[in-house]
Amino acid sequence: MLQKSLSDLNKVVAIGGGHGLGRVLSSLSFLGPRLTGIVTTTDNGGSTGRLRNAENCIAWGDIRNCINQLVTQPDIGSLLFEYRFQNEGELKNHNLGNLMLVALDNLCVRPLDAVNLIRNMLHVECQLIPMSEQPSDLIAVTPCGSDVHGEVSVDKMHEFPNELTVQPNVSATLEAVQAIEKAELILLGPGSFLTSIMPPLLLKDIQVALRRTNAKVIYLGNLQPEIGPASTISLQARLKWCEGKLGFPLINAVIQDIDKQSELTYPTYTHDLRENLNKNYHDRDKLKAAIESVVNHILMPAR
């Protein structure tokens, strides 16, 4: 029997933060509405952090980043959405897309409606879902027992945390839970382990959905070494720590760049993933080919 290929899948879900998740989604954008991105919403830095302090909203920056990377035909609308104010004053460094999403959030019944309105305006077919529609922050507990509040502060830690939680204990977006339960393939990363990949996985609703799903889960490794507390332990230790937090095995395979050969107990596939011009970025075509290759290995044969 023939094995399923990536293009045969009806539901692919990718989970993470803005830059890495956006790159994955754009590499698989040919899947259209069969592809869903579940986006971390706990960032508290930059324009996003200022808006969160002022409006008590979710972090919109990573969602905006993903939308921008999924725009296939740039026009004045997409240029406006990504415009960043440079002049001195209250608007300095604010991104117009963030402001638009906050305004729509205030006008719409729910944040997901705001995302869908912008997606439709910019002709983005991929589904994008905030991990939660309620504001929350990342909280880490140091080995000494002190609490560290917010992604920005967690990134500055010198030691790997003993605990990591999202507070308040918000509910996951219903559509995110449903997408995970129906998924055939789930992709985690690339991106910052503690502040991009882990926050959605800390939500109880998403943990239950991950336990229920029949999807295979692939972890996409970073091209550059982690910065911050995640750099203090190996990738193997990070993945085991993640599964320990969930309470069950999660990762079916790991994709690493050919220059990043870590010793892992997980099935590991190495590919050349770097762009030719900018070696710090995953090449979209290479990433797509790598995921396709691993899918052919780990998915059950089609019936």
Side-chain angles (χ1 to χ4, degrees), residues 13 33 37 41 89 116 124 143 154 159 164 169 176 208 210 227 255 260:
V13 171
T41 57
N116 289 336
V124 170
V154 171
E159 298 175 285
L164 193 69
N169 186 18
V208 171
L210 287 169
I227 298 174
I255 295 178
K260 290 274 186 181

Side-chain angles (χ1 to χ4, degrees), residues 58-132:
I58 65 172
W60 285 108
D62 283 358
I63 295 172
R64 187 211 76 245
N65 193 320
C66 289
I67 291 174
N68 183 61
Q69 292 195 57
L70 285 162
V71 172
T72 56
Q73 297 179 339
D75 56 18
I76 190 63
S78 62
L79 291 174
L80 279 172
F81 187 68
E82 194 57 22
Y83 178 77
R84 189 176 294 275
F85 295 91
Q86 301 297 332
N87 295 331
E88 296 295 329
E90 292 184 4
L91 289 177
K92 184 179 180 181
N93 292 328
H94 266 312
N95 186 285
L96 184 56
N98 287 345
L99 295 174
M100 292 169 65
L101 285 163
V102 170
L104 287 168
D105 184 10
N106 290 339
L107 291 171
C108 295
V109 174
R110 52 188 300 214
L112 186 57
D113 292 337
V115 176
N116 289 336
L117 192 152
I118 294 292
R119 282 201 308 108
N120 292 335
M121 183 181 76
L122 298 180
H123 310 291
V124 170
E125 291 186 317
C126 166
Q127 307 290 325
L128 283 171
I129 305 174
M131 73 180 211
S132 177

Side-chain angles (χ1 to χ4, degrees), residues 167-200:
Q167 295 182 10
N169 186 18
V170 295
S171 300
T173 305
L174 176 61
E175 287 82 354
V177 172
Q178 293 172 337
I180 290 171
E181 290 179 343
K182 296 175 182 177
E184 297 166 272
L185 176 69
I186 295 173
L187 304 168
L188 298 178
S192 171
F193 178 76
L194 291 173
T195 57
S196 290
I197 298 169
M198 280 303 302

